[in-house]
Amino acid sequence: MEDGSIKEIMEGISAPSFSDILQTVKTSTPDLASLDASSPSDDLFAEHKRSAWNNKGETRCDFQYRLKLEHHSGVTYTTIWKRSITGRLLTDIKSDRDEVQHFTDMLLPVIQELLGYNLSVGDWCVCSTPRRRHKDWNFACAVAESIAARLNIPYYEDVAEAKNAKRVGAVFSMRNCPKETNIICVDDFVTTGSTFLSMKNLLQDAGKNVVFFAGINNRT
């Protein structure tokens, strides 16, 4: 495929099949360096070795820009960074309020390039995933709210409620259903995709169209 902007590529595709979407795309814009949409590789960090919320440094992000469209666990999502050996611990990132602006500034142009620059004239809103921890101030919710404000579209907090702390196979119940049809669901990081899948099932059952974006890809 010849180099071109994501917008040009998307406009040139008519009713694509999923196999058409899952391919590597290079872009000419420096801010959108690459879109790796190949099938996901095996997780390099086995489940018994993964400890996403400890202080030993296993889960970090160095903020090297790696735009990626990935389909995993039955849901498709876009991320802009990936986990790394060096860099800041995710726990440090999630407790740093200054990082909200950083995540917003980096995710916003990707959302606009893929979905359009005038979402406020359509039937769009932003939501976040359920808050399982940090309920007084939640980093992912703050990022989603900031993005909604920049897009000038409504933000819905606590759309879904998790009945338990399970991440894989979690079942959500509707708590604050958006009135808009098209929903941008934002999270700070994604590991298995199970949370996004649960949101997808919940919102699609409610007749909503939903697309997913996260800052950090915690799988690869």
Side-chain angles (χ1 to χ4, degrees):
M1 180 178 292
E2 297 181 356
D3 288 352
S5 71
I6 294 178
K7 184 176 180 181
E8 292 170 344
I9 294 170
M10 297 300 289
E11 289 176 349
I13 299 176
S14 176
S17 66
F18 190 73
S19 60
D20 292 330
I21 297 173
L22 295 185
Q23 55 184 307
T24 299
V25 179
K26 294 182 179 179
T27 71
S28 59
T29 55
D31 288 336
L32 302 178
S34 66
L35 177 57
D36 180 2
S38 58
S39 299
S41 58
D42 292 338
D43 193 345
L44 298 178
F45 296 81
E47 187 65 33
H48 69 279
K49 294 181 180 179
R50 183 186 297 123
S51 180
W53 304 108
N54 60 34
N55 59 4
K56 297 180 180 179
E58 285 86 350
T59 306
R60 296 175 179 265
C61 180
D62 58 11
F63 293 114
Q64 292 290 321
Y65 194 84
R66 299 287 183 86
L67 181 64
K68 188 170 187 179
L69 175 70
E70 184 164 12
H71 181 80
H72 187 67
S73 298
V75 66
T76 301
Y77 49 85
T78 301
T79 56
I80 57 176
W81 299 301
K82 58 183 280 187
R83 68 184 300 171
S84 58
I85 297 174
T86 62
R88 296 191 69 185
L89 286 167
L90 293 193
T91 47
D92 292 339
I93 294 170
K94 289 172 68 70
S95 63
D96 186 351
R97 293 178 183 242
D98 291 337
E99 280 292 347
V100 172
Q101 191 64 48
H102 183 204
F103 272 62
T104 301
D105 289 342
M106 297 301 291
L107 278 169
L108 189 68
V110 177
I111 293 171
Q112 291 176 314
E113 187 73 13
L114 292 176
L115 302 181
Y117 288 83
N118 294 297
L119 298 180
S120 61
V121 302
D123 192 31
W124 287 92
C125 68
V126 177
C127 79
S128 47
T129 57
R131 296 182 292 176
R132 292 186 175 89
R133 62 184 75 217
H134 306 131
K135 293 188 177 182
D136 291 335
W137 183 83
N138 183 275
F139 183 81
C141 292
V143 171
E145 185 175 14
S146 176
I147 288 173
R150 294 276 294 274
L151 291 173
N152 195 28
I153 59 178
Y155 166 65
Y156 289 81
E157 190 172 31
D158 296 328
V159 165
E161 182 177 18
K163 296 184 178 299
N164 53 53
K166 288 178 59 178
R167 290 189 178 274
V168 178
V171 177
F172 298 159
S173 59
M174 188 70 75
R175 182 174 180 180
N176 182 23
C177 186
K179 65 180 182 179
E180 289 77 15
T181 301
N182 302 304
I183 301 173
I184 301 167
C185 185
V186 175
D187 210 344
D188 48 9
F189 77 96
V190 57
T191 303
T192 66
S194 294
T195 297
F196 276 165
L197 178 61
S198 296
M199 290 293 292
K200 174 185 173 182
N201 293 337
L202 180 71
L203 292 168
Q204 285 190 341
D205 286 348
K208 306 299 181 180
N209 175 51
V210 58
V211 288
F212 297 94
F213 293 88
I216 300 170
N217 189 323
N218 196 32
R219 289 194 67 245
T220 57

